[in-house]
Amino acid sequence: MSDATPTVTVLTRKTRDKGDRPSLFRLLLRDVGATIAAAVLIIVVLCALLGPLLLGDIAQQQDLTARNLPPFSFAAGWEFVLGSDSLGRSMFARIVAATSTTLGVAVSAVAVSAVVGSAWGMWAGFHRGWRESVSMRIADVIMSFPSLLLAVVILYVFNPSAANIVLVLAITRIPIYLRTARADSAELRSRMFVDAARNFGTKQTTIVFRHIVPNVLPTLVTLATLELCYVMLAESSLSFLGIGIQPPDVSWGLMVAQGRQYLTDAWWQSVLPGVAIVLTTVAANMLAAWLRLATDPGQRWRLQQKKARKRMIATVS
């Protein structure tokens, strides 16, 4: 009888703790703004993945008899729901097709810079010494050049292609992750749990992957979400200047550039791709702000307290 009682007590505590700590998905559903932002990003990702397969070659089909059709021109066909451009191509199909290019460049550049910069920064911050000094000086040299200006110079000299854009933007954004990962790793290596693991003879590789990486990862994920916005805007800016994505490929920035000469007569050719850029970047920023709170154990209580405050106000009213 005495052995059964503690077991029941432990199970009850586990059940209570599990109920007090909702999952990330439940926390997301409780925040209306973050839920809307996540829904917008899911739609953008689905358009990037499934759009080219479902729409086929509609984005490249020209119909000179349907030039500069305004939005909601259903008489010409469902594909002209957002109007047409100066060559009679469907704006809806082109925006969907441009999603895969813009998002592909942004995600690729962020992934490369995040992996390289995070691994480099954690290595430098954990070992300290000359590794940290050399790494920081390299980061200072890269950050001394404006990233967008450096990209303009390099892409002007070399062939402007999607691969070159990814490479240039990835290299210029590596110091952001390097500095963040180094600072967090240098602070975590002096924590008591890391010292305890080191005193018990745990290998350095095990300490890094078991104690350093899980604690640094939430900050890096939030940073990567924010950097996705910057890289997307940088790619759109380069394409707008004519040294980014080149025809016959299409991106949101290139569509804005191609439609700027028709702003007085066919404003939708530039405005609609610009709206797509704004919606995606705003949604990514909102989700990044939510992720910063939701993935940080020290800040997660703010989301739960916000929900409890809303319940209290509803009860009083």
Side-chain angles (χ1 to χ4, degrees):
M1 295 295 292
S2 60
D3 295 337
T5 303
T7 304
V8 175
T9 303
V10 171
L11 290 176
T12 304
R13 288 177 179 175
K14 288 183 177 180
T15 305
R16 185 175 67 249
D17 293 341
K18 187 178 293 185
D20 292 341
R21 296 184 60 185
S23 62
L24 285 178
F25 182 71
R26 289 183 179 180
L27 282 177
L28 179 63
L29 293 180
R30 291 178 181 179
D31 194 316
V32 178
T35 303
I36 295 175
V40 171
L41 292 180
I42 290 174
I43 294 174
V44 171
V45 172
L46 290 177
C47 288
L49 296 177
L50 303 178
L53 298 177
L54 297 178
L55 295 179
D57 298 329
I58 297 179
Q60 301 297 335
Q61 291 179 358
Q62 301 180 11
D63 186 2
L64 297 181
T65 61
R67 296 173 62 251
N68 297 331
L69 290 178
F72 307 110
S73 299
F74 294 104
W78 63 269
E79 63 271 20
F80 295 102
V81 62
L82 297 181
S84 63
D85 63 0
S86 59
L87 296 178
R89 296 172 295 191
S90 168
M91 286 294 298
F92 171 74
R94 286 180 63 78
I95 289 176
V96 172
T99 306
S100 59
T101 303
T102 301
L103 203 63
V105 170
V107 171
S108 300
V110 168
V112 172
S113 59
V115 171
V116 175
S118 301
W120 189 355
M122 283 187 283
W123 170 79
F126 183 77
H127 293 286
R128 304 299 294 269
W130 65 269
R131 300 175 180 86
E132 183 181 24
S133 300
V134 173
S135 300
M136 289 300 97
R137 298 298 77 76
I138 295 176
D140 292 340
V141 170
I142 297 176
M143 294 188 68
S144 62
F145 298 95
S147 57
L148 192 58
L149 179 60
L150 183 63
V152 169
V153 173
I154 294 177
L155 292 174
Y156 184 80
V157 174
F158 297 97
N159 183 29
S161 62
N164 289 338
I165 295 174
V166 170
L167 183 61
V168 170
L169 294 178
I171 292 175
T172 56
R173 307 313 293 175
I174 284 177
I176 306 297
Y177 300 95
L178 196 158
R179 284 174 169 268
T180 304
R182 183 214 61 85
D184 288 354
S185 300
E187 191 271 335
L188 287 169
R189 74 185 297 271
S190 60
R191 293 283 188 92
M192 186 177 297
F193 59 88
V194 176
D195 290 337
R198 190 182 296 112
N199 293 333
F200 277 107
T202 307
K203 295 181 179 179
Q204 290 186 352
T205 305
T206 305
I207 293 176
V208 170
F209 284 99
R210 181 172 296 179
H211 299 292
I212 303 298
V213 174
N215 287 283
V216 179
L217 194 59
T219 303
L220 295 177
V221 170
T222 305
L223 180 61
T225 309
L226 293 173
E227 283 294 299
L228 182 68
C229 304
Y230 174 84
V231 173
M232 189 180 302
L233 292 174
E235 181 277 324
S236 300
S237 302
L238 294 173
S239 298
F240 182 83
L241 294 174
I243 55 177
I245 301 299
Q246 301 295 314
D249 295 331
V250 60
S251 69
W252 289 339
L254 182 61
M255 292 182 66
V256 173
Q258 291 176 340
R260 60 184 173 180
Q261 56 183 330
Y262 302 100
L263 281 175
T264 56
D265 301 325
W267 53 267
W268 53 88
Q269 295 185 26
S270 289
V271 172
L272 294 181
V275 170
I277 296 173
V278 171
L279 288 178
T280 305
T281 53
V282 169
N285 274 285
M286 292 177 61
L287 190 61
W290 177 85
L291 277 174
R292 183 67 187 92
L293 296 177
T295 56
D296 189 350
Q299 299 292 330
R300 193 173 182 178
W301 63 272
R302 296 179 182 273
L303 297 176
Q304 300 176 356
Q305 188 181 51
K306 182 179 179 181
K307 182 63 177 179
R309 189 183 300 111
K310 288 183 178 179
R311 287 180 178 177
M312 184 181 299
I313 295 175
T315 304
V316 172
S317 60

